[in-house]
Amino acid sequence: MSIITHFYNALKGQGNLNELAMDNMRLNASYPINELHGINEVSLGYWQHLQQALPDIERKPMIEFSSDYQGAQWIAATGYFIGTFSNNLFDIPATHKTLYLRFTELVKLEQGKIADYFIILDFLDVMNQAGVNPLRKSLGHDGLIMPPSTMDGLNPVSSSTESADITEKLVMDMLDELGRFDGKSLESMQLNKFWHNDFMWYGPAGIGTTRGIKGFRKHHQGPFVFSFPDRVVDHKATIIKKGHYVATGGWPHMHGSHLSGGWLGLPPSGKNLELRVMDIWRREGNKLKENWVGIDIIHMCKQMGLDVFEMMKLSNNL
């Protein structure tokens, strides 16, 4: 079992947290959790909320791998917390049915213990499952996210340094290409050089899953880049790589001015927003095949002046 699995077992009382996490560990999580410091704050301000809502909660990663970055060991993972939604979660009404709480995370270890924990929890998808999402329906497909089609996310077939370096270069070159948008045509970004024709983009609730370059442009990229024309990706983001997999992310990972309408059907706020984003990419051959994306959509809306949790309560008379 990974240290993250042991960490959650310890949070449940089945182990010693002090052996797994630094006393001053930092957790950065989706809004409304945000930043917590120390094991006690993490237990009360993060885990207690999840475990109270889902008493039989279980963490089920579909991808998890580690590598060194800037002299420290990092772990990247994505999957679901699964349990019976028995009690409200941040005022999202309990359904008393099985809940799939999607997560994407980057975890930094120091001296063999968890020092920094970054996690995006898709609370908007929880609202979808409870039938109380106040935002419009996703343009892409809503629903459960698929694991890698190769089914090797927990044990990548290739772990060679050479393979990981090839994957990293492909991802970074592709991100450079995304920065070449001319402000007029989506085709100014030549994604066909980097993506398979049937590329799968597993986006968060509010955007949804898209298939192929055409689907990506129609259901996410078009509305996004025209709404945030000056968006900038922070290339200083953490990079974790193993074989055909690469994870990138930061807190924040991107900035952009919300200058036009269209994205999520929301009017432009005119504000410069920071985006908490994490990506996990899978390479197949010389192109990218799949991408699991975590974005803190609710945090973006908060910066626009929209409190999605308050909107949820008002629109559903909660």
Side-chain angles (χ1 to χ4, degrees), residues 5 20 52 59 78 102 112 120 141 161 166 179 206-207 234 236 246 249 255 267 284 292 297:
T5 300
L20 301 164
Q52 182 177 2
R59 177 180 177 271
T78 191
R102 184 182 175 189
I120 293 177
H141 171 75
T161 300
I166 291 171
I207 300 172
D234 182 359
K236 295 181 180 179
V246 162
H255 294 81
E284 189 168 294
W292 295 263
I297 299 288

Side-chain angles (χ1 to χ4, degrees), residues 72-84:
Q73 185 181 13
W74 284 79
I75 302 170
T78 191
Y80 285 95
F81 288 104
I82 300 173
T84 306

Side-chain angles (χ1 to χ4, degrees), residues 1-21:
M1 291 190 294
S2 73
I3 188 173
I4 300 177
T5 300
H6 287 299
F7 175 69
Y8 281 106
N9 286 341
L11 284 169
K12 293 178 182 179
Q14 302 166 11
N16 187 342
L17 277 171
N18 292 310
E19 295 178 355
L20 301 164

Side-chain angles (χ1 to χ4, degrees), residues 23 168 180 212 272 274 299 311:
D23 289 340
E168 179 188 1
R180 296 191 178 99
N272 187 271
E274 63 175 40
H299 178 247
M311 293 166 63

Side-chain angles (χ1 to χ4, degrees), residues 134-203:
L135 302 180
R136 77 174 186 179
K137 184 176 176 60
S138 300
L139 291 178
H141 171 75
D142 275 325
L144 287 176
I145 302 301
M146 297 295 290
S149 56
T150 48
M151 301 301 289
D152 66 346
L154 300 178
N155 187 24
V157 173
S158 172
S159 59
S160 74
T161 300
E162 180 182 6
S163 178
D165 289 344
I166 291 171
T167 309
E168 179 188 1
K169 185 177 186 309
L170 180 62
V171 169
M172 301 313 290
D173 288 347
M174 183 275 304
L175 292 176
D176 285 340
E177 186 66 28
L178 291 177
R180 296 191 178 99
F181 178 48
D182 64 4
K184 299 176 182 178
S185 171
L186 297 179
E187 294 184 0
S188 61
M189 297 169 284
Q190 300 180 47
L191 294 179
N192 58 297
K193 293 181 179 180
F194 305 95
W195 290 7
H196 282 275
N197 289 333
D198 56 356
F199 177 86
M200 294 298 299
W201 191 85
Y202 302 109

Side-chain angles (χ1 to χ4, degrees), residues 303-315:
Q303 295 172 78
M304 297 177 194
L306 302 173
D307 188 322
V308 175
F309 285 94
E310 288 300 318
M311 293 166 63
M312 173 196 71
K313 289 187 283 188
L314 288 172
S315 62

